Amino acid sequence: MKNKFIYLAILAAGFISCEPEFENEVDADYTNGNANFSSYVAVGNSLTAGYMDGTVYKSGQMNSFPNLLAQKFSLVGGGAFTQPSYEEDVNDLGGISGIPGFGTRLVIDASQGRPENLAGTPTITLTPQATAYNNMGVPGAKSFHLLAAGYGNVANLPNANPFYIRHATSATSTVLGDAMSKNPTFFTNWIGANDVLSYATNGGAQADGVTPAVDHNVTGNLDPSTYGSNDITNSTAFGGVYTQIVNTLTSNGAKGVVATIPSVTSIPYFTTVPYNALPAEATSSNATAVALYQFLALATGGRIAPLNTAAGTKNPVLIRDEDLTDIGGTIQAFAAGSGNPLLVSNAAALGALYGKARHTTANDLMILPSSSVIGQPSATGTAPFNVNGVTLPLANRWVLTSNEKTKVQNAITAYNAAIVSIANSKGLAIADMNAILGQLVTGLRVDSGQFYTANYFSGSATENKVLFSLDGVHPNARGYAVITNEIIKVINQHYGSKMPLYYPSFFQGIHIVATN
């Protein structure tokens, strides 16, 4: 059992390298309406920075939605628009040199038929640019990080943000403060997704991958400075921070657009790997696993069912669910009294291993990286109880359980209610990205007639329909063009402006290389 469960369908579809094309704007009828675009500033996170394929890279950044938006603003009085410099990304690899976890961008390796990091070494460094830019999107930033002094101070690593370190104007500057130094007359604010996304993408686990992260809507903790990196921000605290951000952005009379937070569990990162990722043909040959499951079915009172062995059937993945009642003692006692030498000798270990184990259901979400470990031997496990998802329950970090999913959805609902309320109180336009992603799940037909979906790339049949990049979380260039269009529509309607849309099909979709 290898990760072929997921990637068998990802085949080379061609080696497209079409560059974005921009319309030749000659229509003198365009107007700014009652908005002033002379100094446009964008604040937010990775979605604002132009992050895609797992990183920010030079050519990808050019397709950030603020940069695309600024090009349309330039038709109706918009001024210069600057973004953090990526000139040192000489090979267009992305990543950050010397920082673990900040690798090169993802591509489809046609020779292997799967996504992987583009070969090479990042050349991007933390050399200070000390410059405020119009695009102040900082990948990884949560709402409260925009107000945090020292978030761009290299001395504060690992609590500082490497992306902001590259361009923070000083060791004590804030993202919002640097943005305000541009004296914005118009802004976009798309912040908040990471206040819940990092919890979701880590399967509701802390950085160790095992210990449950905390939902502070449950604890009532309003102090983000005490939060773990994957905790869910309290919605009241979120509303307070968001109010400060909007009050600051509008303090000089600027107008703008705020964006709601998409339902993150609908993105390909959570919808690509099936909960029943184990074909019977792959598990039925594992006699130890078949016998183990027969034992567990009895010892757990049916919590764990026997393996399906009939050809053409599938088995759900075995996971550890921290919310379950621990029945390890029952399992241990059952094994000790079984008379089976292997079970007797491992009774204590079996109790510890399967006390909180269960099969996944259709209500659980396997995260995208789990495809690389399901069915694989664990380096830390002991044979025969070491096959991930089969004889070894997958650790907390690999699955967002139904209970954890509910916490995520509740937080997003509360955040979006705050965003809409605050925006309405200020008369700001609202780009409802949550609704747009909802449309993408079932399929979105854009103005040109092209049909797009929220699926992960799975070969030539879907190549032109996919708007997400290979990290499964962020849009590709084509997706950012669609987002830009949706924001333009909102601006045109709310501020009485008239600006043209992009043709998303002119933009790069998935990056495929012949070999890597």
Side-chain angles (χ1 to χ4, degrees):
M1 284 171 282
K2 298 181 181 300
N3 54 2
K4 64 182 180 182
F5 301 132
I6 306 306
Y7 295 131
L8 272 180
I10 301 176
L11 303 174
F15 311 108
I16 297 174
S17 144
C18 58
E19 294 297 326
E21 299 175 22
F22 301 97
E23 300 84 343
N24 183 21
E25 314 291 356
V26 295
D27 191 337
D29 194 32
Y30 298 140
T31 175
N32 62 302
N34 57 25
N36 179 355
F37 302 115
S38 60
S39 180
Y40 163 48
V41 167
V43 297
N45 51 38
S46 52
L47 292 165
T48 294
Y51 195 105
M52 65 182 82
D53 297 319
T55 186
V56 180
Y57 53 97
K58 184 165 60 177
S59 65
Q61 184 204 37
M62 297 306 295
N63 295 305
S64 72
F65 86 81
N67 195 45
L68 299 182
L69 207 56
Q71 293 179 51
K72 297 302 183 185
F73 290 169
S74 69
L75 301 173
V76 291
F81 188 82
T82 58
Q83 303 195 94
S85 174
Y86 275 81
E87 286 306 309
E88 61 184 350
D89 188 17
V90 292
N91 295 316
D92 205 26
L93 297 174
I96 297 179
S97 177
I99 305 291
F102 289 77
T104 61
R105 64 186 170 98
L106 297 169
V107 295
I108 292 290
D109 181 349
S111 66
Q112 300 295 321
R114 56 181 169 80
E116 59 190 29
N117 289 98
L118 187 59
T121 302
T123 54
I124 299 169
T125 70
L126 298 183
T127 301
Q129 298 173 21
T131 303
Y133 294 97
N134 294 83
N135 188 341
M136 290 299 298
V138 178
K142 299 185 179 185
S143 60
F144 49 85
H145 287 145
L146 300 192
L147 308 175
Y151 191 50
N153 184 350
V154 69
N156 291 338
L157 282 173
N159 295 320
N161 186 308
F163 290 101
Y164 186 45
I165 289 172
R166 297 184 69 243
H167 60 88
T169 56
S170 76
T172 58
S173 64
T174 68
V175 176
L176 187 60
D178 282 352
M180 290 304 295
S181 73
K182 304 296 289 184
N183 298 314
T185 59
F186 195 87
F187 65 86
T188 53
N189 174 20
W190 193 2
I191 192 69
N194 288 329
D195 289 71
V196 67
L197 182 64
S198 59
Y199 176 92
T201 56
N202 287 281
Q206 295 184 17
D208 63 7
V210 177
T211 309
V214 179
D215 177 6
H216 290 294
N217 290 301
V218 175
T219 67
N221 184 350
L222 301 177
D223 183 2
S225 68
T226 64
Y227 293 176
S229 59
N230 297 336
D231 290 354
I232 297 177
T233 302
N234 178 277
S235 59
T236 300
F238 176 88
V241 168
Y242 203 90
T243 297
Q244 290 184 59
I245 294 170
V246 170
N247 283 346
T248 302
L249 288 168
T250 57
S251 58
N252 293 326
K255 298 178 179 179
V257 181
V258 301
T260 60
I261 298 168
S263 177
V264 297
T265 55
S266 297
I267 60 180
Y269 193 85
F270 297 100
T271 60
T272 301
V273 182
Y275 76 94
N276 56 348
L278 300 168
E281 290 82 352
T283 54
S284 60
S285 60
N286 187 338
T288 300
V290 172
L292 175 64
Y293 274 63
Q294 291 172 342
F295 159 73
L296 289 174
L298 295 173
T300 64
R303 177 187 280 181
I304 297 174
L307 280 175
N308 295 317
T309 55
T313 61
K314 295 182 179 179
N315 285 289
V317 178
L318 192 66
I319 63 169
R320 178 179 172 86
D321 184 344
E322 297 296 337
D323 291 327
L324 285 181
T325 299
D326 192 340
I327 58 173
T330 301
I331 297 172
Q332 179 178 347
F334 206 94
S338 67
N340 182 307
L342 179 61
L343 297 177
V344 171
S345 62
N346 289 284
L350 290 169
L353 201 56
Y354 301 112
K356 286 195 169 189
R358 67 169 173 86
H359 294 298
T360 47
T361 74
N363 293 322
D364 300 312
L365 299 174
M366 310 301 301
I367 66 170
L368 187 60
S370 70
S371 64
S372 64
V373 300
I374 294 174
Q376 298 296 303
S378 167
T380 59
T382 301
F385 311 112
N386 66 333
V387 182
N388 283 309
V390 182
T391 57
L392 179 64
L394 276 191
N396 193 4
R397 63 171 295 198
W398 300 112
V399 56
L400 192 71
T401 65
S402 56
N403 285 345
E404 294 165 339
K405 187 170 65 174
T406 298
K407 294 177 182 178
V408 170
Q409 295 294 357
N410 288 344
I412 291 172
T413 298
Y415 297 166
N416 282 339
I419 290 171
V420 170
S421 176
I422 295 165
N424 285 337
S425 72
K426 293 289 185 178
L428 300 173
I430 302 170
D432 194 352
M433 293 305 171
N434 188 36
I436 292 168
L437 183 63
Q439 295 176 48
L440 271 174
V441 171
T442 54
L444 173 67
R445 191 172 298 282
V446 299
D447 302 76
S448 64
Q450 177 66 44
F451 189 76
Y452 294 110
T453 71
N455 296 330
Y456 195 69
F457 174 72
S458 58
S460 58
T462 64
E463 181 182 357
N464 294 322
K465 299 179 181 178
V466 175
L467 296 180
F468 281 86
S469 69
L470 294 171
D471 60 35
V473 174
H474 301 88
N476 56 32
R478 191 170 296 158
Y480 280 118
V482 170
I483 286 172
T484 304
N485 282 348
E486 296 303 318
I487 296 175
I488 290 173
K489 291 176 186 176
V490 168
I491 294 172
N492 283 347
Q493 181 177 22
H494 193 86
Y495 294 108
S497 54
K498 183 179 179 182
M499 292 178 285
L501 305 179
Y502 284 100
Y503 292 106
S505 60
F506 289 174
F507 289 76
Q508 173 79 52
I510 298 298
H511 291 271
I512 303 172
V513 297
T515 60
N516 189 33

